[in-house]
Amino acid sequence: MRTAPTILHLDMDAFFASVEQASKPSLRGKAVVVGGLGPRGVVATASYEARVFGVHSAMPMGQARRLAPNAAYLVPRFALYKSISERVMELLRELSPLVEPLSLDEAFVDLEAGGVAWDERSARLAGVKLRADIRAVTGLTGSVGLAASKMLAKIASEEAKPDGLVVIEPGTERALLGPMSVRTLPGVGPATGDHLRRAGITTVEEIVEAGEDELVRLLGKAHGHGLYAMALARDDRPVVAEREAKSVSVEDTYDVDIHDRMRVGLEVQRLAERCVRRLRGAGLSGRTIVLKVRRYDFSTLTRSETLRGPTDDPAVIREAAARLLDSVDTTGGVRLLGVGVSGLADYTQEDLFAQAAGERAVAEGPVEEHTAAPAEEQPSLAERRWPAGHDVRHTRFGHGWVQGSGLGRVTVRFETPSSEPGRVRTFRIDDPDLEAADPLPLVLRGTEGGDETPGAGSQAVSSVPASLPKSWSGSGGGAATSRP
């Protein structure tokens, strides 16, 4: 392991919810929950104001509404989140060529490989500058952990939340980890945690005391060896710049179980086409087609078919998915469907369609690529949907966002990221003067780097959390401080 804390872990603070607060002045400082709003929806992200009520990610949306009935509940705007994430990742790549993204809002950076950090002081300065740059460019806040390994850097960023920076100095790792819960270590989820607790092991130090042989006996060879090494603060995993995708997939969960077999088939075809669009967008093709079906009783089935070569042909993938569906009993109803492609490659086997479709393709002629009817691409005014939180524009009142809709009406709050909280107005859903709009930038170009950044960090910490041992050092709000 390194002798300097030059591995950086960045975790954006309540990312989706923070983006929504930054773009909507009326929601700043208020409870915001982002996720699926249907009966089976789950929370994607909750703002820190919502977390006070016990709302957290992956929670059923119905439970969240019971805990925080007055929160703002919004449908995700993934295209906007992705564009902001790309700006953040650009800042990380300015620090080092070794950046390992884990998700839209999280990444590891090897500062030493970029030549920007070689000791505790230079690493801290890089972390402070990064947080300031993120705020200037995006108007958002991120928490930074710095340590000599990936595991410890991630633990440090978690302790830094929200809007802080924490450094774990080399040589202090064992003392810091010892009193922490076993759940702190990567790979220890609820099931493993309960298994260890029943064996009398609840802290990291108790893992060390139990010994490696006991861990192997309790958890198996691979998991036992790995967990014991982590308890000793041993983590030599490098920061990997390019994480090769293993599969591309899409899935949908339905508010009401689908019983009609024809409807199930049409949904699978639609998912196959969405999957192809993602494949082509990434410049990939794949050999193995995978179908996922979750039935009415929550049982989940997966079926796969491996072709003779990689493809991104929509007809081939649709037909393979349909064949896989033929082997699944959907009589009782379906609550989730998914289509994926694995065995990825960056080339396509041109004659694969003939190989996959065989004689039937010759007999029936080539299968044309299915395209959505114009009526589906451009619904009539009366059929338009208005997802809560999404952007709209009115010819008279300008830019706004949907607060809610129903009973033939849509309620809009008219405001922008740089305005004061706006007024609310209600329209018919078929109002010809109201249309969907693209999101506005969170930061005006003229204010980047200044103090007037719209939506900048409503959450800030001025010191290291009191629960941290004194060998931690951290900062909040950009100021470097250390615990005595």
Side-chain angles (χ1 to χ4, degrees):
M1 199 163 69
R2 302 173 184 228
T3 58
T6 55
I7 300 294
L8 180 149
H9 182 259
L10 170 71
D11 198 350
M12 299 295 290
D13 298 323
F15 183 49
F16 296 174
S18 292
V19 170
E20 299 300 342
Q21 289 178 318
S23 66
K24 300 172 172 65
S26 59
L27 297 185
R28 292 173 193 163
K30 297 181 180 178
V32 174
V33 181
V34 180
L37 303 189
R40 292 175 178 165
V42 296
V43 175
T45 309
S47 69
Y48 288 97
E49 296 87 353
R51 296 180 192 188
V52 171
F53 298 98
V55 180
H56 58 77
S57 60
M59 171 182 285
M61 192 61 76
Q63 182 181 356
R65 288 185 183 275
R66 289 191 293 272
L67 292 172
N70 296 319
Y73 289 87
L74 308 177
V75 175
R77 297 184 292 168
F78 288 113
L80 175 60
Y81 307 151
K82 183 179 179 182
S83 68
I84 296 172
S85 171
E86 289 170 352
R87 299 290 303 277
V88 173
M89 296 303 165
E90 288 173 6
L91 292 174
L92 298 183
R93 292 187 180 97
E94 290 175 7
L95 291 175
S96 172
L98 293 184
V99 175
E100 182 178 338
L102 303 178
S103 62
L104 289 178
D105 61 343
E106 187 180 3
F108 286 110
V109 184
D110 187 330
L111 299 177
E112 188 175 25
V116 297
W118 48 90
D119 59 11
E120 188 273 340
R121 181 177 179 277
S122 58
R124 180 188 295 278
L125 289 175
V128 170
K129 181 179 184 301
L130 173 64
R131 294 178 58 242
D133 289 346
I134 289 172
R135 184 188 292 267
V137 170
T138 70
L140 305 175
T141 65
S143 295
V144 167
L146 289 158
S149 71
K150 290 168 72 172
M151 178 187 77
L152 292 166
K154 185 172 175 63
I155 290 173
S157 70
E158 187 63 31
E159 295 294 341
K161 281 188 166 294
D163 191 18
L165 181 151
V166 164
V167 178
I168 300 179
E169 299 173 8
T172 67
E173 297 94 346
R174 287 282 303 278
L176 294 170
L177 286 175
M180 291 184 174
S181 165
V182 296
R183 292 289 304 277
T184 304
L185 300 178
V188 181
T192 302
D194 287 344
H195 192 52
L196 292 172
R197 180 182 54 77
R198 289 193 294 270
I201 301 173
T202 59
T203 67
V204 175
E205 183 58 36
E206 288 170 346
I207 289 178
V208 177
E209 292 172 354
E212 190 168 14
D213 290 343
E214 178 65 6
L215 264 292
V216 170
R217 187 187 70 80
L218 289 170
L219 304 176
K221 188 174 182 180
H223 200 181
H225 285 312
L227 191 58
Y228 186 73
M230 287 189 291
L232 294 174
R234 296 174 184 165
D235 179 18
D236 295 325
R237 293 173 300 160
V239 175
V240 181
E242 296 296 334
R243 306 187 74 199
E244 186 176 348
K246 296 182 179 179
S247 65
V248 173
S249 63
V250 296
E251 63 181 45
D252 275 344
T253 300
Y254 304 100
D255 293 342
V256 179
D257 290 347
I258 302 176
H259 291 84
D260 182 77
R261 183 73 178 186
M262 181 175 293
R263 166 80 189 285
V264 173
L266 290 173
E267 288 294 313
V268 167
Q269 298 294 289
R270 184 178 61 82
L271 289 167
E273 290 169 2
R274 281 175 53 194
C275 187
V276 168
R277 288 197 292 272
R278 287 195 179 184
L279 268 180
R280 291 182 168 181
L284 297 170
S285 60
R287 297 183 61 218
T288 301
I289 316 304
V290 181
L291 175 71
K292 177 179 177 182
V293 179
R294 181 166 298 150
R295 299 188 291 190
Y296 69 99
D297 59 356
F298 285 88
S299 61
T300 302
L301 304 176
T302 57
R303 299 287 186 268
S304 64
E305 176 181 319
T306 298
L307 307 173
R308 291 206 291 266
T311 184
D312 66 353
D313 189 311
V316 174
I317 294 173
R318 282 200 311 270
E319 288 206 358
R323 286 194 297 273
L324 294 171
L325 180 62
D326 288 340
S327 67
V328 178
D329 179 11
T330 62
T331 305
V334 170
R335 58 190 297 120
L336 177 147
L337 290 168
V339 174
V341 177
S342 60
L344 301 181
D346 56 3
Y347 66 95
T348 301
Q349 186 160 321
E350 298 297 339
D351 65 347
L352 186 64
F353 176 74
Q355 298 175 15
E359 296 299 325
R360 187 166 59 85
V362 176
E364 298 178 1
V367 178
E368 297 181 0
E369 181 172 342
H370 173 76
T371 55
E376 294 175 344
E377 295 178 355
Q378 297 180 344
S380 68
L381 292 177
E383 294 172 334
R384 289 186 298 178
R385 294 178 62 251
W386 302 104
H390 282 224
D391 299 84
V392 295
R393 176 168 291 280
H394 192 275
T395 55
R396 177 181 173 189
F397 301 109
H399 192 92
W401 58 277
V402 176
Q403 280 202 327
S405 63
L407 301 177
R409 300 281 177 174
V410 55
T411 300
V412 177
R413 184 181 289 272
F414 290 96
E415 59 186 6
T416 69
S418 57
S419 74
E420 295 295 320
R423 295 190 60 180
V424 175
R425 298 180 184 275
T426 299
F427 307 91
R428 300 191 317 272
I429 61 169
D430 58 353
D431 190 320
D433 292 331
L434 189 68
E435 62 181 2
D438 292 330
L440 296 177
L442 300 187
V443 175
L444 300 178
R445 289 188 179 276
T447 63
E448 287 191 15
D451 294 333
E452 298 180 359
T453 302
S458 59
Q459 302 293 331
V461 228
S462 58
S463 62
V464 181
S467 60
L468 295 180
K470 66 179 182 180
S471 50
W472 292 83
S473 60
S475 67
T481 61
S482 298
R483 285 180 60 83

